[in-house]
Amino acid sequence: MPEYKAPLRDIKFVTEEVLDFHGHYANLLGAEEATPDMVAAILEEGAKFAERVLSPLNRVGDQQGCQFKDGVVTTPDGFKEAYQQYVEGGWPSLSHPEEVGGQGLPDSLGMMVTEMIATSNWSWGMYPGLSHGAMNTIELHGTDEQKQTYLTKLVSGEWTGTMCLTEPHCGTDLGMLKTKAEPQADGSYAITGTKIFISAGEHDMADNIVHIVLARLPDAPAGTKGISLFIVPKHNVDDAGEMADRNHVSCGSIEHKMGIHGNATCVMNFDGAKGFLIGEPNRGLNCMFTFMNTARLGTALQGLAHAEWALQNSVAYAKDRLQMRALSGPKAPEKAADPIIVHPDVRRMLLTQKAFAEGGRALIHYCSKLVDITKKGSKEEKEEADELMSLLTPIAKAFLTETGFESANHGLQVFGGHGFIAEWGMEQNVRDCRIAMLYEGTTGIQALDLLGRKVLMTQGATLRRFTKIIHKFCKEHKGDKRLKSYITALDKLNGEWGDVTMKIGMKAMRNKDEVGAASVDYLMFSGYVVLAYFWARMAVTAQTKLDEGTDEVGFYTAKLQTATFYYERLLPRTRAHVEAMLSGADNLLAMDEDNFLFLNA
C-alpha cells in the first residue's frame, strides 16, 4: 500500500551541503534562532506529523471527498482533527513575524516543512497553504489595524485564508472581472459578485475564513488598471477582534473534480458582503501578485511533491514485483523471476522520477533562500534576489508541474495494471497532480510571463542576471576533468539560452505572435537548463564528499550517477525545444479556424 517517508537526508543534502543554509541563516537578519540543532529538531517533528498524521489521510480524502449541504462544507474524516494538531504544534506561525504572533523563523525553513506536508497529503496541505498567501498579502500591504485584526488570527491558525480571483466569465484574464465594491459610510465596502474555483473557500476546519478578494470600485478604469483588493471575512469581526455576525458571503456549491477530492473547490457568492480595502485603490492586482507569487512557488512545490511520492512508491514496488528475467541473465535465480527494477526501461522511469524530484528540490529551496533575502537582505541583495525570483518563479511553477506530472505517470506505468487500480494510490497521484499545470496560471501563461514580461521586456537583463551565475560556476569548475561532461554541456547551453532569446526577440519585432508561438518551448528549454545547473552543483558537492572519504559512498555515488542520467538522457530534450521554438508562428497560425475539423462527409 502507498506510503510516504520524509526524505530528510536529501533535504539536508540540498539545504546544508549544496545551498549552505547554515551559513545563510548565520548571516540573515533575525535568523539567530535557526541554529543547526533547531532546524534539525523542527524537521524531525515535521516529518513525524507528515508521516504519521497526514499520510494516512491521503487516501481517505480521495475516497470520501468533501461533502456540501445547504452552504456547509464538511471535510473528510480526520482532516479537521489533523488541522487542530497542526495548530497546536505551532506550525502556522513558524515563518511569520513575532510582532503578529509568529516565531520569526526564515521562510526557507517553513518551505522545508511545507514540502513534507505537501508530499504526504496535497489536498489537506492546501488548506493552510492558502492561508500563507493571505498572511503575506496582509503583512506587506495591510494597515496596522488590519494586521492586528486578521493577521494575528491567521498566523495562529485560528482562522484560515483564501484568494478569490477568478469569475465564471473570466479565467486568467482578470481585466474582465465584474465583482463590485461599493463604498459605505463607515469606510467599509459592499462587495457583490461571484468567484469560482476558490480552493478552501468553505470548510469546517476553522471558525472563520478570511477571503482576499479582487473587485472594482464604481469609478474604476476598465481592464487590469481598475482592480482593487479587499479583505472579506466569512464572519464579521467586532471592535475587540472577535467573530461577530455572519457576513454576506456564502458557498454556492463545490466542484466535482478529477483529483484533489479532499480539498473543497468552491463557488463563492458575495452579496453585499462587508469588505475592507487593502493597499491603494485600483492597485489591487499589484498587491495580489504578493499572493500569486507565493501561490506559484507553492504550486511549483506540488510538482516536486508528486514526483517524490511517485518515486518512493515506484522504487518500493519495483524492488518487490517479479516479472521476467533480465536480458543479460537472471539476477535473482533463486526466485521465479527477477524484480522489475533490473529492467532498463523500468530504470529509465525511476531515474527520470529521481532526477526531476531531486533536481526540483534544489530549485525550490534555492528559490526559498531568495525569498529570505528579499525580506531580510541588504538593499543590493534584495534587488538581486527580487530579479532572480521574477525569472525563476514562472520556470519553477510551470517546469516542475509539467515534470511532476510526467513523473506521476511514470509511477503508474511502473505498477503496470496495478497502477490503474485505486488501492495502490498511483492513479490518485496522477489525478491530484494534473491540476498543478492549470491553477495559478497555466503553463502557457507562465511561459508568456517568462519570455514576454521577464525576458524580452527587460531586454534580457533579468535573464543575464542568472546566466552570469551559471557562467561563473562553469568558469570556476572547468578545470576538474571528472566534472567536464557536466560543465562543458552546461556552459554551451547557457550561451545558447541567450542566443535563442535574441533570435526570438528579433522575430517578435516583426510579428508579436512569435512570442506566443515560442513561449512554452522556451520555458521548457529554460527549465532543463536551470535543472542542469543545479545537478552540476550537486555533482560538485557529491564529488567533493567522495574525495574527502565519506562513509556515505552509496548516497554520493548515486548523486553523480543521477546527474549523468540527467545530462545524457533528459537534457537532450532541449534540442527538440530549440527546433520548435525557432520554427516560427506560421505553422500554428496559417490554418483557417474553420478548417480545424471536417465532420460531415
Side-chain angles (χ1 to χ4, degrees), residues 8-23 36 39-40 43 112 541:
L8 292 178
R9 180 64 188 92
D10 204 59
I11 291 174
K12 179 179 178 181
F13 170 74
V14 167
T15 58
E16 296 180 13
E17 300 174 42
V18 179
L19 299 177
D20 186 24
F21 271 38
H22 289 331
V39 171
L43 293 183
M112 295 182 227
T541 301

Side-chain angles (χ1 to χ4, degrees), residues 147-223:
K147 292 176 184 178
Q148 188 58 42
T149 302
Y150 300 102
L151 186 54
T152 53
K153 295 293 179 63
L154 288 167
V155 167
S156 71
E158 185 177 343
W159 298 349
T160 63
T162 74
M163 54 190 293
C164 297
L165 287 73
T166 306
E167 300 180 4
H169 60 282
C170 69
T172 304
D173 190 357
L174 295 175
M176 296 172 62
L177 71 82
K178 297 179 180 178
T179 298
K180 298 183 294 184
E182 297 282 348
Q184 304 297 297
D186 63 357
S188 67
Y189 295 81
I191 311 297
T192 302
T194 296
K195 300 288 184 177
I196 64 170
F197 302 155
I198 309 306
S199 300
E202 177 62 31
H203 56 78
D204 59 355
M205 289 164 60
D207 293 331
N208 205 4
I209 301 173
V210 180
H211 303 288
I212 307 296
V213 184
L214 289 179
R216 291 188 183 280
L217 295 169
D219 57 350

Side-chain angles (χ1 to χ4, degrees), residues 23-326:
H24 168 61
Y25 292 155
N27 294 310
L28 186 68
L29 182 66
E32 296 82 7
E33 297 295 322
T35 62
D37 288 345
M38 172 68 81
V39 171
I42 288 172
L43 293 183
E44 288 288 347
E45 290 304 311
K48 290 177 185 177
F49 180 69
E51 294 169 0
R52 301 175 186 179
V53 179
L54 297 183
S55 183
L57 296 176
N58 191 37
R59 191 176 177 212
V60 173
D62 184 61
Q63 290 178 318
Q64 292 186 5
C66 292
Q67 305 301 314
F68 176 80
K69 184 177 181 181
D70 299 329
V72 176
V73 173
T74 304
T75 54
D77 290 347
F79 270 46
K80 182 176 181 179
E81 292 77 12
Y83 185 74
Q84 291 307 309
Q85 290 186 53
Y86 177 78
V87 172
E88 289 166 6
W91 297 111
S93 65
L94 190 68
S95 299
H96 293 281
E98 294 181 67
E99 54 265 29
V100 290
Q103 299 175 48
L105 291 166
D107 285 75
S108 55
L109 179 53
M111 183 61 82
M112 295 182 227
V113 175
T114 300
E115 182 198 328
M116 296 185 286
I117 289 172
T119 312
S120 63
N121 190 332
W122 180 261
S123 290
W124 185 94
M126 290 178 70
Y127 291 98
L130 271 295
S131 295
H132 286 295
M135 289 184 239
N136 290 340
T137 302
I138 297 173
E139 182 183 327
L140 285 178
H141 304 292
T143 64
D144 290 341
E145 183 181 357
Q146 289 169 344
K147 292 176 184 178
Q148 188 58 42
T149 302
Y150 300 102
L151 186 54
T152 53
K153 295 293 179 63
L154 288 167
V155 167
S156 71
E158 185 177 343
W159 298 349
T160 63
T162 74
M163 54 190 293
C164 297
L165 287 73
T166 306
E167 300 180 4
H169 60 282
C170 69
T172 304
D173 190 357
L174 295 175
M176 296 172 62
L177 71 82
K178 297 179 180 178
T179 298
K180 298 183 294 184
E182 297 282 348
Q184 304 297 297
D186 63 357
S188 67
Y189 295 81
I191 311 297
T192 302
T194 296
K195 300 288 184 177
I196 64 170
F197 302 155
I198 309 306
S199 300
E202 177 62 31
H203 56 78
D204 59 355
M205 289 164 60
D207 293 331
N208 205 4
I209 301 173
V210 180
H211 303 288
I212 307 296
V213 184
L214 289 179
R216 291 188 183 280
L217 295 169
D219 57 350
T224 56
K225 294 182 179 179
I227 300 174
S228 299
L229 190 64
F230 300 86
I231 295 173
V232 185
K234 173 180 175 179
H235 288 273
N236 290 313
V237 182
D238 62 23
D239 292 339
E242 300 301 323
M243 285 191 343
D245 58 314
R246 178 69 185 257
N247 204 352
H248 297 294
V249 52
S250 62
C251 178
S253 64
I254 60 174
E255 305 294 349
H256 302 279
K257 303 168 296 187
M258 176 179 177
I260 56 170
H261 294 158
N263 191 270
T265 302
C266 304
V267 174
M268 300 301 299
N269 296 317
F270 297 85
D271 300 304
K274 180 175 286 190
F276 303 91
L277 182 70
I278 309 178
E280 299 176 24
N282 303 324
R283 298 282 293 173
L285 207 56
N286 301 74
C287 297
M288 181 58 86
F289 268 112
T290 301
F291 203 140
M292 291 173 67
N293 285 333
T294 302
R296 285 175 177 176
L297 194 55
T299 308
L301 182 61
Q302 184 176 2
L304 158 62
H306 291 292
E308 175 67 30
W309 198 92
L311 171 65
Q312 289 191 20
N313 286 278
S314 297
V315 169
Y317 185 82
K319 287 181 176 181
D320 185 65
R321 176 68 169 171
L322 303 180
Q323 290 281 279
M324 303 185 298
R325 291 295 185 187

Side-chain angles (χ1 to χ4, degrees), residues 480 482 542-550:
D480 191 331
R482 295 168 300 179
Q543 188 62 64
T544 300
K545 292 292 184 179
L546 289 169
D547 291 344
E548 293 172 351
T550 177

